[in-house]
Structure formats: C-alpha cells, structure tokens
Amino acid sequence: AAMDDASLRCDGSYLPATVFPTGPAADALPVGLQAIGPEHGDLTTIACARLMAAEIGGFVPPPGFAD
C-alpha cells in the first residue's frame, strides 16, 4: 500500500519522469529507478537516465530473455 501511495503522488503530479535500469536483483530480475524532474524538466530526466545507463551499464535482460 505504501508503494501505491508513493506512485500515486508521483503520477498525479504531472511532473516529467524517466525510468532507468539499475541492474539485476539477487534473483536476476531487472531493477529500475525513476528520475522525477521539475515542471518542464523532461530533458533533465532523460539526461539523468542516459548518465546513469552509461555509468551502470544499461539494461541487461534476465537469463532466458535475451534475443
């Protein structure tokens, strides 16, 4: 319920957001975070996601899901 409340506050704010991968969890499933920016800050959240992907390595499919 707490996660749903936090998600609702972010989604209902109409602020720009970009999701980026942070690597696999202990069970090998992908984990991501959401960068939320200020009003009209779309390019800032996208730039943040690009920097994080460059630093962390980007999305890696879990075993059995690669092309």
Side-chain angles (χ1 to χ4, degrees):
M3 178 77 85
D4 294 336
D5 292 343
S7 178
L8 180 60
R9 281 193 300 274
C10 292
D11 294 343
S13 67
Y14 301 105
L15 294 174
T18 304
V19 176
F20 57 91
T22 58
D27 59 2
L29 293 177
V31 176
L33 292 176
Q34 186 177 44
I36 301 171
E39 187 174 6
H40 306 294
D42 304 74
L43 297 179
T44 302
T45 63
I46 293 168
C48 174
R50 282 190 181 135
L51 290 170
M52 294 301 291
E55 188 67 28
I56 296 171
F59 176 73
V60 177
F65 288 92
D67 288 329

